[in-house]
Amino acid sequence: GVNPLAGCLPVLIQIPVLISLYNVLLKIVEFDKADFLSEINKHLYSNSLHLTAIPQTYFMGFNLAAKPDQWQQAGAYLLAIPVVTGALQFIQSKMMSPEKPKVEGQKETQSEKGMEDTMAQVQSQMLYLMPAMIAFFSYGFPVGLSLYWNTFTIVGIIQQWKIAGAGSLNKYLPASLQK
């Protein structure tokens, strides 16, 4: 009764958006000349959409084109973004993994137990490996991409909380917050 695409489909939908956002932020940084404007305007269909100036890459004080690996020039606060990205991914992954039910009186064969143990080990490794890998990637990506990813993750955390609760994160929450 579980759809295996339920966890993958939202991520697959986001991949083209992430690739597009990454390319746009890199192009804005590379072409800081009038040549950039002519290239963009050449690809726009309507003359009313043509740009008169190079778009600014600042949002709420953040330079969206800056990268955390260039923190010496931009500021040490950029190092917090990959850490926050990894932490949010870990929280979401922990919430999506279900609590292990305690079933009494159920007997398993040796092969079922071995297969279940192997799957549990792989899932446990992925729980820690994927957030660390995403944090590592966000260290080299523009801040705008990481902020977009963090926003998407926060929405996913809220959605998971409303639909199914905190999952295996429940054991760390006070009783009043558990679902």
Side-chain angles (χ1 to χ4, degrees):
V2 176
N3 184 356
L5 286 179
C8 297
L9 191 59
V11 175
L12 291 176
I13 292 171
Q14 291 296 317
I15 287 175
V17 175
L18 287 171
I19 291 170
S20 302
L21 188 58
Y22 178 74
N23 285 327
V24 165
L25 289 171
L26 283 182
K27 296 293 182 198
I28 288 175
V29 172
E30 287 176 9
F31 300 112
D32 200 18
K33 304 173 188 151
D35 184 43
F36 172 74
L37 281 177
S38 63
E39 280 296 314
I40 292 266
N41 289 336
K42 184 169 63 173
H43 294 289
L44 294 174
Y45 295 115
S46 172
N47 287 337
S48 65
L49 296 175
H50 284 199
L51 301 174
T52 57
I54 295 173
Q56 294 296 316
T57 59
Y58 287 90
F59 176 72
M60 295 178 59
F62 286 106
N63 181 3
L64 299 179
K67 297 179 182 179
D69 64 358
Q70 301 167 343
W71 64 272
Q72 295 92 350
Q73 294 91 11
Y77 69 92
L78 286 179
L79 292 175
I81 292 174
V83 172
V84 169
T85 302
L88 287 172
Q89 283 297 309
F90 177 75
I91 290 169
Q92 187 179 28
S93 297
K94 196 78 168 157
M95 287 178 75
M96 288 184 163
S97 62
E99 285 185 283
K100 192 172 186 177
K102 296 176 184 173
V103 180
E104 293 181 24
Q106 183 180 5
K107 295 185 179 183
E108 296 177 335
T109 65
Q110 194 66 17
S111 66
E112 285 176 342
K113 184 164 175 51
M115 182 62 126
E116 190 174 305
D117 288 344
T118 303
M119 289 189 320
Q121 287 176 345
V122 169
Q123 185 178 5
S124 176
Q125 290 172 354
M126 293 303 285
L127 178 70
Y128 297 104
L129 185 63
M130 289 302 289
M133 192 170 68
I134 290 171
F136 177 74
F137 289 153
S138 71
Y139 181 73
F141 287 161
V143 171
L145 189 62
S146 296
L147 291 177
Y148 172 78
W149 191 264
N150 288 348
T151 303
F152 178 66
T153 304
I154 290 170
V155 169
I157 289 171
I158 293 168
Q159 179 183 1
Q160 180 69 22
W161 178 266
K162 293 286 187 184
I163 293 172
S168 64
L169 199 61
N170 262 337
K171 62 183 172 185
Y172 302 109
L173 297 175
S176 61
L177 293 176
Q178 292 181 4
K179 265 190 171 179

